[in-house]
Amino acid sequence: MMFWENLRMAFISLKNAKLRSFLTMLGMIIGVAAVVSITAIGQGVKDAVTKQVTGLGSNVLSVTSGGGSNQSGGKSAPSFTAALGSSTLTQADAVSVGKVQNTENTTSISLISGVLAEGTTTASGALIVATTANYARVVDQKLAAGQFIGDDQLNQNVIVLGDTVKTELFGTGDAMGRTVTFRGKPFTVIGVIVKQDSGLSLGTSQDSFAYIPTGTAKVLIGQEPSILRIITKVNSPSNVDGAVAGIKAALKQNHAGQEDFSVLTQADILSTFNTILDLLTTFIAAIAAISLLVGGIGIMNIMLVSVTERTREIGLRKAIGASSGTVLSQFLIEAVVISLVGGALGIVVAVLLATGIGRAAGITPSFTLPTIILAVGVSAGVGILFGIAPAAKASRLRPIQALKSV
């Protein structure tokens, strides 16, 4: 019964000093809003990454230059030289991967430097990718118009444009059958990739890619293009582990026994991204949580002021029989109420903030129940932690001294 009375008095106290109460809560509102919104956005990014990676299928394998096994036998990350373009992969490796049992539709990916143009109009952000007909089969590439590179076009001057590249060169007009130039050679547009869904893009969007045949690229640059990645599809998810082992064995034979390459499953790629995102989210949320400490100090400061201002009230309550425990619980409950109301408002602000950021970034924030419960729990904990000192001070006041001090 006394609890509900103290709770009622806490809300009356907040109502009587609305502005001061709001300013006291502000630190909690900012802290909870920052932590919850950052966590929700981080989870939303993870969901978007998971959707993109798993969209390729769990049976797609990627072979990249660098990495392999370390001296202890564990898997290590791809080497930095791979990122700089010093690839150890060759077309012979792509052929070997395609011969491994249970693999199908193997292809290679190379980046070719140069400017893509249509007359005097250039696609400044276009990335020219040299690949084979199997690329579309591995990644299930969808087209808005035309077709992807065919098996009979591996040495022809044909090109498939991403949506952004097509728009830069031809605007809203039809690009099919039109001619563009690359490295001084004419290329016929045979297809346009369907526009990528708005959302998180892992690296450069496919809308900025333009695809040419690997054989044509070899003629353009006068040598085999450096392979950025070999990708292959395994005929069944259950055969992935066996295919990984087979690819490693085949490529080690090509590389004189050295494992200067990495074979990555979609699970490996997803795990790497999730680890990085978890670390970043935790680090940023921890920094934002400092606001909770500031908010707690603000609550303690205002509650100490409140005890001083209400000394006469405390004296009267104790004079008519209120115990020290009753007075302590009154001010402690008031501190917790301030903290919880601030936390609740912080959650509302977090939803609005994360939703706005999510729309701007093209992702969907994910608000999980454990995060909400944690925010409420932290709010209550801050109220209790920083409300103990003011409440204890109030409970120690003697009735006579309290009444005389006013």
Side-chain angles (χ1 to χ4, degrees):
M1 188 68 177
M2 186 59 65
F3 170 79
W4 296 110
E5 178 64 19
N6 286 336
L7 187 61
R8 185 182 69 84
M9 292 180 64
F11 279 105
I12 291 174
S13 177
L14 294 180
K15 184 178 179 182
N16 291 337
K18 297 184 182 67
L19 181 58
R20 187 172 73 176
S21 298
F22 174 75
L23 293 176
T24 304
M25 297 174 189
L26 197 56
M28 289 300 302
I29 294 173
I30 294 173
V32 170
V35 173
V36 174
S37 60
I38 288 170
T39 304
I41 292 171
Q43 185 60 49
V45 172
K46 285 180 62 177
D47 293 342
V49 170
T50 300
K51 181 180 178 180
Q52 287 197 22
V53 173
T54 57
L56 293 176
S58 60
N59 57 332
V60 174
L61 302 179
S62 299
V63 183
T64 60
S65 178
S69 299
N70 54 35
Q71 292 181 351
S72 60
K75 183 183 293 183
S76 61
S79 69
F80 187 64
T81 57
L84 295 177
S86 301
S87 178
T88 59
L89 300 176
T90 65
Q91 288 297 334
D93 292 331
V95 173
S96 296
V97 170
K99 292 180 179 179
V100 172
Q101 187 176 8
N102 297 320
T103 61
E104 54 187 17
N105 297 329
T106 301
T107 189
S108 62
I109 300 172
S110 303
L111 293 181
I112 310 299
S113 63
V115 177
L116 186 64
E118 193 278 323
T120 59
T121 304
T122 61
S124 57
L127 288 179
I128 311 303
V129 178
T131 188
T132 66
N134 277 340
Y135 178 83
R137 301 175 186 128
V138 175
V139 303
D140 191 24
Q141 186 70 74
K142 295 179 174 57
L143 290 98
Q147 65 176 45
F148 199 74
I149 299 167
D151 291 311
D152 58 343
Q153 297 174 313
L154 299 182
N155 295 291
Q156 296 180 15
N157 286 17
V158 293
I159 191 168
V160 179
L161 306 179
D163 182 79
T164 299
V165 180
K166 177 262 178 188
T167 302
E168 285 187 58
L169 296 178
F170 301 104
T172 57
D174 185 15
M176 294 301 302
R178 303 279 292 273
T179 300
V180 297
T181 58
F182 178 66
R183 288 200 169 208
K185 301 293 184 181
F187 281 77
T188 302
V189 178
I190 62 170
V192 177
I193 302 297
V194 69
K195 182 176 177 60
Q196 189 175 357
D197 291 338
S198 60
L200 181 71
S201 177
L202 302 180
T204 303
S205 169
Q206 290 187 37
D207 292 340
S208 298
F209 289 171
Y211 302 87
I212 65 174
T214 299
T216 305
K218 179 181 178 181
V219 174
L220 282 177
I221 64 177
Q223 62 182 20
E224 290 282 359
S226 177
I227 294 180
L228 178 67
R229 180 173 299 178
I230 298 171
I231 55 176
T232 187
K233 180 176 287 187
V234 183
N235 56 14
S236 171
S238 61
N239 293 328
V240 166
D241 290 341
V244 169
I247 291 172
K248 286 184 177 181
L251 295 191
K252 285 176 73 173
Q253 287 185 354
N254 291 357
H255 292 231
Q258 293 187 4
E259 194 171 329
D260 52 357
F261 56 87
S262 297
V263 184
L264 304 174
T265 65
Q266 297 305 298
D268 293 331
I269 297 172
L270 186 60
S271 176
T272 300
F273 275 112
N274 283 345
T275 298
I276 295 172
L277 290 171
D278 284 340
L279 288 173
L280 287 175
T281 301
T282 302
F283 178 71
I284 298 173
I287 294 176
I290 295 175
S291 299
L292 295 175
L293 178 62
V294 175
I297 294 173
I299 290 173
M300 182 171 66
N301 183 51
I302 293 300
M303 290 305 298
L304 286 171
V305 172
S306 180
V307 169
T308 302
E309 291 178 345
R310 295 159 63 184
T311 301
R312 184 176 178 81
E313 174 194 331
I314 297 168
L316 286 173
R317 291 198 68 190
K318 299 194 82 170
I320 61 176
S323 65
S324 296
T326 301
V327 174
L328 186 145
S329 64
Q330 174 190 345
F331 283 88
L332 191 58
I333 288 173
E334 188 170 321
V336 172
V337 167
I338 292 174
S339 187
L340 283 176
V341 173
L345 292 175
I347 292 173
V348 173
V349 172
V351 172
L352 297 176
L353 181 63
T355 301
I357 295 175
R359 287 180 178 177
I363 61 174
T364 302
S366 179
F367 297 93
T368 60
L369 184 59
T371 301
I372 302 300
I373 293 175
L374 179 62
V376 173
V378 169
S379 299
V382 168
I384 294 172
L385 179 64
F386 289 93
I388 287 177
K393 179 181 178 180
S395 68
R396 288 196 297 266
L397 288 175
R398 295 181 181 180
I400 296 176
Q401 291 177 337
L403 292 172
K404 282 184 177 180
S405 64
V406 180

